[in-house]
Amino acid sequence: MKADILNAARAEFAAHGLSGARISAIVERTQTSKRMIFYYFGDKESLYLAVLDQAYREVREAEANLDIRHLPPDEALRKVVEFTFDHHRQNPDFIRLVMIENIHDGTHMSRIETLATTNIAAIEQLDRICRRGVEAGLFRADVSPLVIHWQISAMSFFNVANRATFSMNFGDDLFGENAQLMLREQVVQSIASSVLKSVP
């Protein structure tokens, strides 16, 4: 029941934001009632916080489950980049939730006490990859896991967040399957070139 409510609420909040979302619309998407929603989550804002928390936990858990520890560091980094690009592309609701929260300056996220711990896992994963890359002589000594995460997020996020306006201005040629695979590879190469040692 709670999972169904969270899934329905995620779609509603992603479409309309916290202020525009209606509990009645969430009820219509599930086999429940307003009373049960409030029983489980208290109020609409608490439900919104639960949706945000779940959305971030899902992506971090999926990252943590990537089978990359046995890979050379450059290949492990590739897998992380590809995962992020694909995840964001396949989960536009997640991107919309993040966009909405940015509009509100992260006000609601700041109330989720576990979120910082949840999200630091992404930096820790990249830190392990970077350490291995430096030790193997592949990566520059000054690579920053935080900067790499920012770069990966920026390029993967823009691909979804700005699709509508980009398509309106320039057409949708970049959003077909082959073009998306090409863009993903270019993101991989861009990140790789920012961390790999220059070849003399």
Side-chain angles (χ1 to χ4, degrees), residues 15-34:
H16 304 289
L18 174 57
S19 60
R22 296 181 299 113
I23 294 296
S24 59
I26 297 170
V27 169
E28 290 172 6
R29 292 172 181 262
T30 60
Q31 299 297 318
T32 189
S33 63
K34 286 185 179 181

Side-chain angles (χ1 to χ4, degrees), residues 71-117:
L71 295 175
D74 54 335
E75 284 300 311
L77 181 58
R78 164 182 283 276
K79 292 295 184 184
V80 172
V81 177
E82 290 177 340
F83 165 81
T84 305
F85 189 92
D86 290 342
H87 171 272
H88 289 4
R89 182 183 171 205
Q90 294 161 9
N91 294 274
D93 281 359
F94 173 75
I95 302 303
R96 290 183 64 87
L97 288 169
V98 176
M99 291 168 65
I100 289 165
E101 194 55 22
N102 272 290
I103 290 171
H104 294 288
D105 295 321
T107 301
H108 304 98
M109 285 179 62
S110 67
R111 295 179 52 198
I112 305 174
E113 296 179 359
T114 59
L115 206 54
T117 303

